[in-house]
Amino acid sequence: MHQTIQLDFITRGRLPLFCCLVAFIVTFFVTRTIVRYIRRHADSDAPRKWWQPRNIGHGTMHIHHVVIGVILIMVSGITMVTLAVDGGVPEFTVASIFFGIGAALVLDEFALILHLSDVYWSEDGRTSVDAVFAAVAVAGLLILGFNPLSFFDVGIWRDDHHPVARASVVAMAVLTLLLAVVVLLKGKVWTGLVGMFITPLLLVGAIRLSRPHAPWARWRYTNRPRKMHRALERERWLRRPVVQAKLWLQDAIAGMPRFPDDAKVDEQLDREIHAAPAPPERAPVKQEAA
């Protein structure tokens, strides 16, 4: 009986999101595999067979798969909005699968949208992989039962109509959002992202030292060289294993799995870690003679 209740809970509450995430991950890896295959055989003069993947185009115009992703997101999104009142779990699940497929196609070329240039295989193209990681992390937290701003019980708002109780809920929400803003200003994007689901992380991120290139360091550390030096040393020490794992994983997804050497890691650290420039000084206001 316990297993039946648990299965029914997963089916009704999280099946559409779970299917969306699975479709997203599968589509992303399939898309990367197909794109690598096309690139590897781009210079081949051998005639293509009907089953071999190839670029989509019309005349001389190349149609990127982000276009297909946008269409799928629009169609599935409109479908889910239409089903929002009277739709059932099966219909929502089907629509969420197409939404996950479309989202994967869009985020796979997120760098192209961000830079308005075809940077798919360049260093800037790694932004697409970062966007995919963020989307998978958010969806995974939602599936595991974490909810944004879940440090306080929103049920108090629904069950207790006393002004003091509701004011406490609003105050906690505002405090949580302020902590998230501080964490993001300190350059801790992943801490802020995950902290919206696990609020104590926001408190830790807000108290800890800022990253040296973040706006917070620009405003607070430029006149405090010791603190900026501590931030730079701490950033390099903490980021090194993260950069190593990130480069390996990105290379693996891009089709070239290899452990990065120290020179490449140091180059990436030098590019990522730098002190924030001092804010511009305000020009003194000249008072006009009466």
Side-chain angles (χ1 to χ4, degrees):
M1 180 180 296
H2 175 70
Q3 293 180 350
T4 304
I5 294 175
Q6 186 177 10
L7 180 61
D8 181 70
F9 169 74
I10 295 175
T11 300
R12 291 183 179 278
R14 299 173 187 170
L15 181 61
L17 181 59
F18 176 78
C19 292
C20 178
L21 178 60
V22 172
F24 180 92
I25 295 174
V26 171
T27 302
F28 174 71
F29 280 103
V30 170
T31 302
R32 284 276 165 166
T33 302
I34 292 176
V35 171
R36 290 200 303 268
Y37 179 88
I38 294 174
R39 190 186 188 210
R40 189 179 300 116
H41 295 81
D43 299 329
S44 177
D45 296 329
R48 297 288 182 91
K49 298 181 180 180
W50 65 269
W51 52 267
Q52 290 180 304
R54 65 198 69 190
N55 288 323
I56 303 175
H58 179 70
T60 58
M61 180 178 64
H62 171 63
I63 300 177
H64 292 270
H65 50 267
V66 64
V67 177
I68 302 174
V70 170
I71 295 173
L72 287 175
I73 286 179
M74 291 182 61
V75 173
S76 59
I78 293 174
T79 302
M80 286 188 283
V81 170
T82 305
L83 297 172
V85 177
D86 299 323
V89 173
E91 295 87 347
F92 263 99
T93 302
V94 174
S96 67
I97 291 174
F98 283 100
F99 185 88
I101 295 173
L105 294 176
V106 170
L107 290 185
D108 185 54
E109 293 196 311
F110 175 77
L112 183 149
I113 302 172
L114 180 64
H115 296 279
L116 293 180
S117 178
D118 194 355
V119 293
Y120 194 87
W121 298 108
S122 67
E123 184 71 24
D124 292 332
R126 296 182 184 272
T127 309
S128 298
V129 181
D130 294 336
V132 169
F133 288 166
V136 172
V138 171
L141 288 170
L142 290 172
I143 290 174
L144 291 175
F146 294 96
N147 296 314
L149 307 179
S150 59
F151 188 67
F152 55 89
D153 188 3
V154 183
I156 298 176
W157 182 273
R158 295 191 298 263
D159 301 334
D160 193 342
H161 298 282
H162 196 275
V164 175
R166 290 199 164 188
S168 65
V169 173
V170 173
M172 288 297 297
V174 172
L175 178 61
T176 305
L177 291 175
L178 288 177
L179 287 175
V181 171
V182 171
V183 171
L184 292 177
L185 289 176
K186 287 190 171 185
K188 305 174 183 180
V189 178
W190 278 100
T191 303
L193 179 66
V194 180
M196 292 299 294
F197 297 84
I198 307 175
T199 310
L201 288 178
L202 293 179
L203 184 61
V204 174
I207 296 174
R208 297 285 289 174
L209 206 63
S210 169
R211 300 183 68 180
H213 61 274
W216 188 276
R218 182 185 185 188
W219 301 330
R220 304 295 300 274
Y221 297 170
T222 50
N223 295 326
R224 304 165 72 179
R226 289 187 177 180
K227 204 156 192 177
M228 179 65 80
H229 181 69
R230 282 178 50 212
L232 288 168
E233 285 190 337
R234 179 176 178 271
E235 179 78 0
R236 197 170 188 92
W237 175 67
L238 290 177
R239 290 286 297 173
R240 188 173 191 87
V242 176
V243 168
Q244 288 176 332
K246 181 180 177 181
L247 290 175
W248 181 89
L249 188 57
Q250 289 178 338
D251 288 337
I253 294 176
M256 299 174 290
R258 61 180 181 274
F259 191 80
D261 54 19
D262 291 338
K264 187 175 181 181
V265 174
D266 289 334
E267 180 184 353
Q268 184 71 18
L269 288 172
D270 293 338
R271 185 163 48 249
E272 291 185 1
I273 301 174
H274 56 274
E281 296 183 359
R282 294 182 179 180
V285 180
K286 295 181 179 180
Q287 295 182 353
E288 297 182 359

